[in-house]
Structure formats: C-alpha cells, structure tokens
Amino acid sequence: MTSMVNKIFLQTRCPLILAKRFRGKINIQRPRKPHYERALVEAVTTPVYQHPPLSVERCTAEAERKDEALPNPYLEIIAREIHNWFNHSQCTGIFHMNSMSAEDHFNARVVFHKQNMHLKSYPKKAIHLALSGSRYEEILPLFEARCAVVFSPDGQPSKLLKVTKKTPHLILIGAIAEERILNRNQFTAYAALPSLDIVRAQFANVLHSAAVDLVSKMETHQGNLVRMLEAHAKSLDPEK
C-alpha cells in the first residue's frame, strides 16, 4: 500500500541548509572596518602602556653588562687551555680562516697533525679571557675576525710555512716565535734562517779560524827570523 501511495503522490524532501558568509572569504590583509559601536568599544578598552624609550646602544650595553656579570665556567676552562698552549708552544701561527666545509677543516687538521702541529679555533670571548693581561695581549685585535691558531711544540717555522701551502683556506697573518710577535714578512725571514745548531757551528768555526789566523801571524815573524839566522850562519861557515 505504501509503495502505491509513493508512486501516486509526490514525495517531500527536507531542504539542506548551508551557512555561507556574505561576500565570500575574509580578506586577512585588508580586513573590513568594524561597526562604529564596536570600534568605539575597542578604542575605549585598548590598554595604554608607557614604555621607556629604548635604543640599540642601551640594549647592547645592558646585554654586555649581563654577560660580564655572569661568569661562564666553560669559557674559563677553554681560556686556561688557550693560555697553556701559548706558553708551551715554541712556534705559534695565527691564520685567517676563510669559508670552508667541515671536511676541508678536518683535512687541514690531519695535515698539521702529521707534522706534530695542532690546528685550533676558539671563541673570541675565550681568547680575550685567556690573553687579556698577558704578554700576548697585543695580538687580540687579530681575533676580531674569524681566525685559527696552529701550535707547534717543536718550533720549526720552515715546516709550518711548508704545510701552510697545502691549506689554501688558511692565510697566515702573524706568528709568535721565541716569545716575539712577528708579522708575516718577519716570520718568513725568520723561517729562512738556518737552525740554531748550524749557527753555533758556524760561530765556532769563525772563532777557531780567527784564533788560527792570529797564531799563524804571530809565528810568521819568528819563523822568518829563524830562517834568516840559519841562512846567515851557513854563510859564515864555509865548510857547511
């Protein structure tokens, strides 16, 4: 019966209601102005704060003051290590470090390590903490840029310059040799000098040659006098 009724009479369906905002989507970049009453309420309820005028110099000074007030134990440990390296290294090279990958940096460390040298790079704060007030304080301006330090306990500057040619990412800008701060040209001239043993041998040879020359000059007149007397004696004795 119900099937016959459905075929004879029209069926009624419930409409599907969807809520849609007028004029499409909301423009986030250029929102519509609120209604006058709403804008009035928002203007009245907006809090007003009085912030003190801040400047970049003031913020920087306050940040530096906070950093100085808080001691950093880790930087102190690194500073002691840096100070120990500078005091126990016979030859120290300071290099400007260009942009390089981690693999190139590792290869450079391996090249120096094979020659009993150590490539180190430290934070600027740790270097300032280690060298401030020491005899190497004059080299602190070099570390304003990105720098690396090579320590050579054996003290062989010629070998250090030779190894530097294999690391184009590192540029020598200064060095410390025999507790003296040298620039690039001075360090190159120092590396061209012979070793201390050779210089000592040359100095001993000079002293020995001077002594031999002095003795030979002192014996020359005596020898000439003896030969002249012998010749005169032979001339007086006809039998001889």
Side-chain angles (χ1 to χ4, degrees):
M1 187 67 180
T2 56
S3 61
M4 292 176 63
V5 173
N6 291 335
K7 293 180 180 180
I8 297 172
F9 298 100
L10 296 175
Q11 296 180 1
T12 59
R13 296 181 180 179
C14 296
L16 180 61
I17 301 174
L18 295 176
K20 186 177 181 182
R21 193 176 184 88
F22 182 68
R23 291 186 181 177
K25 298 181 180 178
I26 300 175
N27 192 348
I28 300 177
Q29 296 180 354
R30 295 180 180 179
R32 294 179 59 186
K33 293 183 180 180
H35 190 265
Y36 174 76
E37 295 181 357
R38 181 175 179 181
L40 185 62
V41 172
E42 290 181 356
V44 172
T45 57
T46 300
V48 178
Y49 300 101
Q50 295 182 357
H51 297 283
L54 297 177
S55 60
V56 178
E57 297 179 356
R58 180 179 176 183
C59 295
T60 306
E62 291 180 357
E64 292 179 354
R65 195 180 301 112
K66 290 181 181 179
D67 293 340
E68 293 177 357
L70 297 176
N72 193 332
Y74 179 68
L75 288 180
E76 293 178 357
I77 295 173
I78 298 178
R80 287 196 295 268
E81 178 184 350
I82 296 171
H83 194 268
N84 184 45
W85 273 113
F86 272 93
N87 288 334
H88 294 85
S89 179
Q90 298 295 330
C91 182
T92 304
I94 304 171
F95 295 84
H96 175 75
M97 188 165 55
N98 291 329
S99 178
M100 57 192 305
S101 61
E103 183 179 0
D104 293 336
H105 188 268
F106 177 77
N107 294 333
R109 291 183 60 186
V110 171
V111 170
F112 282 106
H113 184 74
K114 289 181 179 179
Q115 303 298 331
N116 194 21
M117 301 178 188
H118 307 277
L119 176 63
K120 302 288 184 179
S121 56
Y122 296 103
K124 184 171 65 175
K125 291 184 179 180
I127 294 177
H128 278 265
L129 183 62
L131 302 182
S132 297
S134 64
R135 55 187 175 183
Y136 305 117
E137 189 175 5
E138 297 180 358
I139 66 173
L140 286 178
L142 298 178
F143 292 94
E144 294 298 328
R146 188 184 181 190
C147 292
V149 187
V150 175
F151 298 100
S152 176
D154 299 336
Q156 298 180 355
S158 58
K159 187 181 294 185
L160 177 60
L161 290 176
K162 185 177 180 180
V163 177
T164 304
K165 297 179 181 179
K166 301 179 182 179
T167 55
H169 297 87
L170 300 175
I171 301 174
L172 180 66
I173 57 177
I176 299 174
E178 296 183 1
E179 299 182 358
R180 295 184 60 184
I181 301 174
L182 307 174
N183 57 23
R184 179 185 177 90
N185 296 332
Q186 292 175 345
F187 184 71
T188 304
Y190 173 76
L193 296 175
S195 62
L196 185 60
D197 296 334
I198 296 176
V199 174
R200 287 174 179 174
Q202 292 176 353
F203 182 67
N205 188 19
V206 170
L207 294 178
H208 180 69
S209 62
V212 171
D213 187 27
L214 178 62
V215 171
S216 63
K217 288 181 178 180
M218 294 178 65
E219 292 179 350
T220 300
H221 299 288
Q222 297 177 1
N224 293 334
L225 180 60
V226 170
R227 286 192 296 272
M228 292 174 63
L229 291 175
E230 289 179 352
H232 183 67
K234 289 180 180 179
S235 62
L236 294 178
D237 192 358
E239 296 180 356
K240 297 183 180 180

